[in-house]
Amino acid sequence: MSHDHASRTSAHSHGSGSSRGRLAIALGITSVVLVAEVIGAIVTGSLALLVDAAHMLTDAGGLTIALVAATLAGRPATAKRTWGFARGEVLGATAQAAVLLAVGIVVVVEAVQRLFDPPELAGDLLVVFGVIGLLGNVASIAVLASQRGKNLNMRAAFLEVVNDALGSVAVIVAALVILLTGFQFADAIAAIIIGALIVPRAVLLLRDSTNVLLESTPKGVDLESVRGHLLELEHVIGVHDLHVSQIATGLPVLTAHVVVEDGCFYDGHNAQMLDSLQHCVAEHFDVQIEHSTFQLEPAGHGAHEHPTHD
């Protein structure tokens, strides 16, 4: 016997229109700054500014992916796609993280090469374009800040504009150093710093999104603790084939085979057992699992099943 708890119209899709609007505004700002930085990189010959422009280009692509993913995630479930496109935000975050990681590695390699042959740069123009980039990034941060914790997709988008802001700060500092001291190596050093900011954050985001795609147990869920608490319920004899995964941010799901006393199948107690099991996983733990499916089994049913696991 199984039961799927809660409707598909859960809170994870609430406010998707707000997310789309904010992403669209951030994309517009990022595109304008991108054009300005490309012009600045051509005029000044700065690697740091060019790298930041390349980062902005990936961000524009990433924000586009995020906008498309947010739009898809808001679409309703169908008979063909029973969870709708809820996982679109995870796919979007994975794509953004992969691109960011590639850009970060390329940045560091190119910057190291420039350390051996730094070009002459115009520090004054570099400051101007760096400030333009920073102002645009700050505006995007302000637009996305309130939505950054909503899901992996919004977290990826916010992370990208924050990285851009840090990159712009590095460009400005390098420009000031060149302007005041003539130390041309500052540009390549700034590019390395930008790359160093990108890579670890991209790795962490890629890890989190990949864990969702691999249906790993969500953060904050101790599977043995869940099993132990289920076993403490009255009439429960055993729990096996216990799985907890995550469809999208804030949407964990649980399935389990629960062995109960044989009498539950004759005295009408099964309905109460389902209520107890669902209440347990939805209310008892820090990560509330509202989508749960339980198969209730008599003690002798295990002999008729394929080999099970814990």
Side-chain angles (χ1 to χ4, degrees):
M1 180 182 295
S2 65
H3 181 78
D4 191 1
H5 180 64
S7 84
R8 297 293 186 259
T9 55
S10 58
H12 76 276
S13 62
H14 180 70
S16 59
S18 175
S19 296
R20 291 196 298 270
R22 290 173 183 274
L23 285 169
I25 294 171
L27 176 59
I29 294 171
T30 299
S31 299
V32 171
V33 175
L34 168 62
V35 172
E37 288 198 343
V38 169
I39 294 173
I42 294 172
V43 171
T44 65
S46 166
L47 174 62
L49 193 56
L50 181 61
V51 166
D52 203 40
H55 190 193
M56 292 292 285
L57 178 60
T58 63
D59 284 357
L63 288 169
T64 300
I65 292 172
L67 184 57
V68 171
T71 301
L72 290 176
R75 295 178 64 178
T78 65
K80 184 176 180 180
R81 293 184 175 86
T82 56
W83 289 107
F85 288 86
R87 190 155 278 186
E89 57 108 334
V90 182
L91 296 174
T94 304
Q96 292 177 70
V99 172
L100 274 175
L101 182 59
V103 169
I105 293 172
V106 170
V107 163
V108 172
V109 171
E110 178 65 21
V112 170
Q113 292 176 348
R114 279 216 178 186
L115 285 174
F116 296 97
D117 186 23
E120 293 292 326
L121 302 175
D124 52 351
L125 290 176
L126 195 54
V127 170
V128 173
F129 286 106
V131 169
I132 292 173
L134 180 60
L135 292 176
N137 293 326
V138 169
S140 294
I141 288 172
V143 169
L144 297 177
S146 65
Q147 298 285 307
R148 67 185 183 277
K150 184 175 182 181
N151 55 47
L152 282 175
N153 190 44
M154 291 302 296
R155 175 185 162 193
F158 181 77
L159 179 60
E160 288 188 346
V161 296
V162 169
N163 280 336
D164 275 337
L166 295 173
S168 295
V169 171
V171 169
I172 293 170
V173 172
L176 291 173
V177 170
I178 293 171
L179 188 62
L180 298 175
T181 69
F183 184 67
Q184 297 293 329
F185 290 100
D187 182 62
I189 293 172
I192 292 174
I193 292 172
I194 295 172
L197 291 171
I198 294 173
V199 172
R201 289 170 171 78
V203 169
L204 290 175
L205 180 60
L206 190 60
R207 181 199 64 187
D208 289 346
S209 58
T210 301
N211 280 339
V212 175
L213 295 177
L214 291 176
E215 299 194 5
S216 302
T217 302
K219 284 183 179 179
V221 176
D222 183 340
L223 212 58
E224 289 310 309
S225 177
V226 173
R227 186 193 311 278
H229 201 265
L230 292 175
L231 287 170
E232 291 176 0
L233 295 178
E234 189 177 4
H235 307 298
V236 173
I237 299 173
V239 177
H240 63 91
D241 284 292
L242 174 62
H243 301 275
V244 181
S245 59
Q246 193 168 337
I247 300 300
T249 303
L251 189 55
V253 295
L254 178 148
T255 62
H257 292 206
V258 180
V259 182
V260 300
E261 296 173 355
D262 289 353
C264 294
F265 292 90
Y266 305 111
D267 62 9
H269 201 68
N270 275 350
Q272 184 179 339
M273 287 300 305
L274 281 175
D275 289 341
S276 297
L277 291 165
Q278 290 165 354
H279 179 77
C280 172
V281 298
E283 303 293 339
H284 180 76
F285 303 100
D286 291 338
V287 177
Q288 297 182 349
I289 305 173
E290 296 182 350
H291 293 264
S292 57
T293 302
F294 294 97
Q295 177 171 304
L296 302 186
E297 304 173 350
H301 180 72
H304 308 293
E305 285 193 334
H306 290 291
T308 60
H309 63 78
D310 291 338

